[in-house]
Amino acid sequence: MVEQRFLTLTDVGEILNISPSQTRALVRSGELKAIQIGGRNQWRVEKSMLEAYISERYAMTEEAIRAEQAERADVS
């Protein structure tokens, strides 16, 4: 069996546990890279792009936590 390279927006939403509208918003904003195929507005997300997005979100979250901790330390 061939491993799928691309995911549908439904698949992505299920993986991230978000709604279809949130998934579409991520793609349309360019935050999550995707390609549009066919003539019926069908989107596909490459698995590697989803993994990169998840890694970026972890890094952003870590940075935000550090900034918050530094801010609290400055206030003390």
Side-chain angles (χ1 to χ4, degrees):
M1 188 177 234
V2 176
E3 184 177 340
Q4 289 185 341
R5 179 177 176 181
F6 293 96
L7 302 167
T8 65
L9 294 189
T10 300
D11 295 336
V12 172
E14 289 177 5
I15 290 167
L16 296 176
N17 197 26
I18 60 176
S19 71
S21 61
Q22 289 172 311
T23 308
R24 276 191 299 281
L26 286 174
V27 168
R28 290 185 185 263
S29 72
E31 193 173 339
L32 175 60
K33 294 185 184 210
I35 59 171
Q36 191 173 18
I37 60 168
R40 296 181 50 187
N41 204 19
Q42 295 182 43
W43 290 92
R44 296 293 182 270
V45 177
E46 194 168 0
K47 284 183 177 183
S48 63
M49 291 291 110
L50 178 59
E51 292 302 322
Y53 170 78
I54 292 169
S55 294
E56 289 169 12
R57 297 306 300 178
Y58 271 114
M60 290 174 68
T61 300
E62 188 175 320
E63 186 177 313
I65 290 170
R66 282 191 192 133
E68 184 179 306
Q69 290 172 342
E71 186 178 303
R72 277 190 266 174
D74 289 341
V75 173
S76 300

